[in-house]
Amino acid sequence: MGYLCNAVALLLYFGFVAGRKCEFENRCQCFFNTWKQVYKADCSNAHLTHIPDFPKSIKVVILDNNLISTIPDYHFRNNNKLCNISLMNNKLKGLRKDAFYGAYNLIELTLYNNEIIDVDENFFKSIPALKYLNIKKNNYFDWLKLNITFPYSLQTLRMDFKILEQDHMFNSFKGLINLKTLDISGLSGECECKTMTPETFQTIPNLIHLDMSACKISYIYRGTLKFMSNLTFLDASSNFCLKFAGAENITYDLQTTSIKILKLNKIHRTFEPDTIVLKSHIRHLRHTNLTELHMDSNRIQLFEKGALSSLPITLRSVYLSDNMFHFGSYFSEFYVVPITFINISLQFNSHDLQDFYGEICVKKDQTDPLPVLSNTPNQHEVQRYGQLKPNTLPFNISSKLQKLIFRNSLFRFKIEANNVSENSLAYLDFGFNLFYSWIGPLLTYKKLIHLDLSNNFCSNVSKDFFKSSPNLKSLLIHNNLLGFVLIDDMHGEILQHIPKLAVLNLADNRIPYLPYNFFKFQTMLTEINIGGNLLEDLSFQISHMQNLSHLDLSKNRFSSLNSRARGQLETIIKSNPNLTVDLSDNPLICSCDTIQFVKWMSQTKIKFTKLQSNKCKLYNGNKELLKEPKRVYEILEKKCSSYTDLIVVLSIFVIFFVLILLCGLVYRHRWTLRFMYYMTKNKYQSSSRKKCDDEEYEYDAFISYEEEDAVFVHNHLLLNLEEDAKLKLCIHKRDFQPGKDIAANITSGIHNSRNVVAVLSQTYLDSYWCMFEYNMARMESIYSRDCENMFILVSLVDLSAINLPLCVIEKVHKQSYIEYPNDPLGNTLFWDNLKEVLK
């Protein structure tokens, strides 16, 4: 970050108009203030070999990544408003005395990564207001060897640093009494200082920020930092030869500083034996106000007993990632450390072999007058401090800890009931491990809000796992194998204990489908990511999630969304108009079968993300972008309309044909159907049973006649057949059961009679009930008597075949009938024959 000239300039900086080509150099972009004056010129990456002439109003100049080799004298003589110039990544060879003459108000100067080999000792006299200077990566140019006086106003200095001899260290940083930030890091430049003494920084006692990382430091004498009472930030990382024994002098000096942040990352070589952090290494920090401690990538195996408890009570954040921790009794000391954040990720992490070829450390007898403590734990120490216990998570959490990160360690455990002490843990990250089974429950995690168990190859989660985490709002469990267990959760029992859940990531879990009630208890969800699975249908309920704002269904197997799914989404958008859905990378199909889905996409108010990735397959095999679903719908509507008309016409024709066919069949078999109906009805309403051939029927004959022929029946037929022949006849006026359905009486009477006598006349043929009796008798003969001849047709008049129905003509042709002669001699013969037939 640079400095700006004053508060007005700051406002102008954030309020300038969009850039356009500069008049003085068309390869530059100019930005203007509210008075239409050039305020800023960006000439970076313009292949410039010289510096353009800038207008007097210019305040900020960027000339990065060009081919500029010189700064002409007096070039900025008219730019007294210039306060910021950057010449990073150019070809500057030297800096002459009057290079910036006239730029008296210059505050920030960046000369990073040039080829400077010569600097005039009076170079900085023309820019006395300079507060920020970056002169790193300039051919390892040793600025401190020259008799250069930096501006007294300088507050931030970033430079290369190389001290191989002690003879000129007393003149280092001459005149920088106002310097607050010093960056000599070898990570962003060049730095080499094997040994640091109290004289190294003695002329800059007011430092607040000191970065001396990657400076190949082997030893630091006590007193080197002691006088920096304002120091709040110190980075001594990537000094592989320093080790914790060498860092002990740093911690000793920090007692008299205002240190807040201390970085001791990678002060132990990557391929050396593991190390133990002794109490003596960090005990002096107890007397500081340290709030943040970094000790990453140090191959730490153990902490000596009492080491952790000696840390200051002001400490809040600890970084211990990329180490080699063995579980042991020292973990119990974490309970007394009042930290709120700890990162212990990347345990037992593998490293590139290139890290093996590092610096050569200075031998002990050359620079280290104190005894060197062994950093290699022996067998006795390992036994003393504890060993790894398989399938156990031994964290004893501090009561103030709020955030714990334990990622990328590939630890293989099943998470069983984990009852740690009462704590304030709100953020827990266990991603990229091998926690393959989540049994739980996670006890005493009542304040937990965020839980990350992603990338753990887990295939089992119990219904009680989240039982003691009722306040969980963010759950990241993507990239596991939960598809094997979630499909059986029919009643949403796995997530039932976390009703406050707002964010859920279930992506990449090989889920083929989810039960309808899986999210039964999740009414407060705002974001669901279920992408990268095997879903073909939105089978689960989401309509009750009135706060849902994003649903990610990408990279599944959806060909469309059915009407039920669309209905659920429309229900949600009524209460949350900001709903977004991601359907990208699905095999969507745009056809006549899915035209309603495409139409819905063109009409709904739901916002679809990644529309450039939403492609659907058309009827002809081509893929069409759904970026404009309305246009796709119009294409389908034209294609499908002709098919729709044809389908409607064909459907009507088929239905009409089937109805006609059914009507014909019903009419053709109408008497059969009616007979079957009444026989079935009689079966359940009467106690009569089916007669066998050798059993007696209740009646010898059922007499079927029309009311106009009643005189013949009562005066002649009954007299001759019942009184003379002693036959039992069924007469409807006499023998039908009162209150019973007429049709049922008819079918029952016929069924219980051995024969049927039909008295034919013209009125008989015209009567509905007479023909009903006739057809019921015909059906009885066919279906109950195996086509037995049970019909006796008695014709009272001479009937013409023209007047006879087909069913009667059929019987007349196949079976004989009797005509009533109506004369005394013929009558006697008629009645004798009829009696004989009926008996």
Side-chain angles (χ1 to χ4, degrees), residues 55-66:
K56 292 181 179 181
S57 60
I58 197 75
K59 289 181 177 291
V60 179
V61 173
I62 302 175
L63 291 162
D64 299 341
N65 306 311
N66 283 293

Side-chain angles (χ1 to χ4, degrees), residues 350-383:
S350 59
H351 293 270
D352 197 314
L353 280 174
Q354 291 182 355
D355 293 339
F356 178 77
Y357 304 101
E359 62 205 71
I360 300 175
C361 297
V362 178
K363 295 182 180 178
K364 168 184 173 268
D365 56 3
Q366 291 178 327
T367 62
D368 193 352
L370 299 177
V372 178
L373 296 174
S374 172
N375 284 316
T376 306
N378 56 39
Q379 185 64 29
H380 171 71
E381 289 172 326
V382 172
Q383 291 176 355

Side-chain angles (χ1 to χ4, degrees), residues 393 395 397 404 415-426 428 430 441-449 451 465-466 468-472:
L393 286 174
F395 299 124
I397 298 175
L404 170 62
I415 304 178
E416 297 181 333
N418 190 240
N419 190 9
V420 299
S421 55
E422 291 294 330
N423 59 82
S424 304
L425 195 65
L428 183 58
F430 278 167
L442 294 176
L443 302 174
T444 65
Y445 290 92
K446 296 179 181 179
K447 296 182 180 179
L448 191 63
I449 295 176
L451 176 61
F465 183 71
F466 301 106
S468 299
S469 306
N471 294 308
L472 195 64

Side-chain angles (χ1 to χ4, degrees), residues 718-728 835 839:
L718 291 179
L719 180 66
N720 285 280
L721 297 182
E722 279 197 333
E723 293 182 10
D724 294 346
K726 306 300 180 185
L727 296 174
K728 188 175 181 180
K835 292 176 185 177
K839 286 184 177 180

Side-chain angles (χ1 to χ4, degrees), residues 336-584:
V336 299
V337 181
I339 56 175
T340 59
F341 170 87
I342 186 170
N343 185 349
I344 49 176
S345 303
L346 294 165
Q347 299 303 306
F348 301 94
N349 188 37
S350 59
H351 293 270
D352 197 314
L353 280 174
Q354 291 182 355
D355 293 339
F356 178 77
Y357 304 101
E359 62 205 71
I360 300 175
C361 297
V362 178
K363 295 182 180 178
K364 168 184 173 268
D365 56 3
Q366 291 178 327
T367 62
D368 193 352
L370 299 177
V372 178
L373 296 174
S374 172
N375 284 316
T376 306
N378 56 39
Q379 185 64 29
H380 171 71
E381 289 172 326
V382 172
Q383 291 176 355
R384 174 187 174 190
Y385 299 130
Q387 284 281 17
L388 175 68
K389 295 180 181 180
N391 296 323
T392 306
L393 286 174
F395 299 124
N396 198 9
I397 298 175
S398 167
S399 60
K400 295 184 178 180
L401 187 64
Q402 298 177 6
K403 188 172 183 178
L404 170 62
I405 302 178
F406 184 62
R407 292 175 65 84
N408 285 289
S409 294
L410 298 181
F411 276 29
R412 189 176 187 274
F413 295 121
K414 57 182 178 181
I415 304 178
E416 297 181 333
N418 190 240
N419 190 9
V420 299
S421 55
E422 291 294 330
N423 59 82
S424 304
L425 195 65
Y427 186 103
L428 183 58
D429 188 346
F430 278 167
F432 289 93
N433 284 288
L434 294 173
F435 298 147
Y436 60 91
S437 181
W438 307 337
I439 301 172
L442 294 176
L443 302 174
T444 65
Y445 290 92
K446 296 179 181 179
K447 296 182 180 179
L448 191 63
I449 295 176
H450 176 94
L451 176 61
D452 188 345
L453 284 166
S454 60
N455 300 279
N456 270 283
F457 295 95
C458 177
S459 59
N460 177 56
V461 54
S462 75
K463 297 175 181 178
D464 295 326
F465 183 71
F466 301 106
K467 190 174 183 179
S468 299
S469 306
N471 294 308
L472 195 64
K473 293 184 179 180
S474 177
L475 179 60
L476 309 182
I477 50 178
H478 51 282
N479 203 13
N480 283 288
L481 300 172
L482 297 178
F484 296 109
V485 62
L486 299 186
I487 57 175
D488 297 324
D489 187 14
M490 305 303 296
H491 305 291
E493 296 174 280
I494 292 177
L495 302 179
Q496 64 178 327
H497 303 293
I498 45 177
K500 296 181 181 179
L501 197 63
V503 177
L504 176 62
N505 193 334
L506 280 167
D508 302 308
N509 267 291
R510 305 182 71 84
I511 301 172
Y513 73 92
L514 286 175
Y516 182 75
N517 289 319
F518 181 77
F519 296 112
K520 180 179 180 180
F521 301 95
Q522 278 60 58
T523 59
M524 301 179 68
L525 273 171
T526 60
E527 181 178 338
I528 301 176
N529 186 347
I530 198 167
N533 284 290
L534 309 174
L535 298 175
E536 297 181 358
D537 185 21
L538 196 66
S539 57
F540 47 89
Q541 184 185 15
I542 58 172
S543 57
H544 61 299
M545 303 175 188
Q546 301 302 306
N547 298 319
L548 190 65
S549 59
H550 182 68
L551 177 62
D552 190 339
L553 299 172
S554 62
K555 299 179 181 178
N556 276 281
R557 298 181 177 179
F558 288 96
S559 59
S560 67
L561 292 180
N562 59 30
S563 57
R564 186 175 72 173
R566 301 195 298 267
Q568 290 199 79
L569 293 173
E570 289 299 324
T571 301
I572 296 173
I573 202 170
K574 290 178 182 178
S575 58
N576 188 359
N578 297 319
L579 176 64
T580 61
V581 176
D582 187 354
L583 280 170
S584 61

Side-chain angles (χ1 to χ4, degrees), residues 700-750:
D700 291 300
F702 178 90
I703 308 302
S704 176
Y705 65 97
E706 210 280 326
E707 194 61 33
E708 290 186 6
D709 301 322
V711 174
F712 169 77
V713 173
H714 292 286
N715 295 340
H716 300 284
L717 191 142
L718 291 179
L719 180 66
N720 285 280
L721 297 182
E722 279 197 333
E723 293 182 10
D724 294 346
K726 306 300 180 185
L727 296 174
K728 188 175 181 180
L729 304 179
C730 181
I731 306 298
H732 67 265
K733 279 193 173 183
R734 182 187 67 186
D735 297 312
F736 277 10
Q737 183 178 343
K740 192 174 182 180
D741 184 61
I742 296 176
N745 269 315
I746 293 172
T747 54
S748 178
I750 293 173

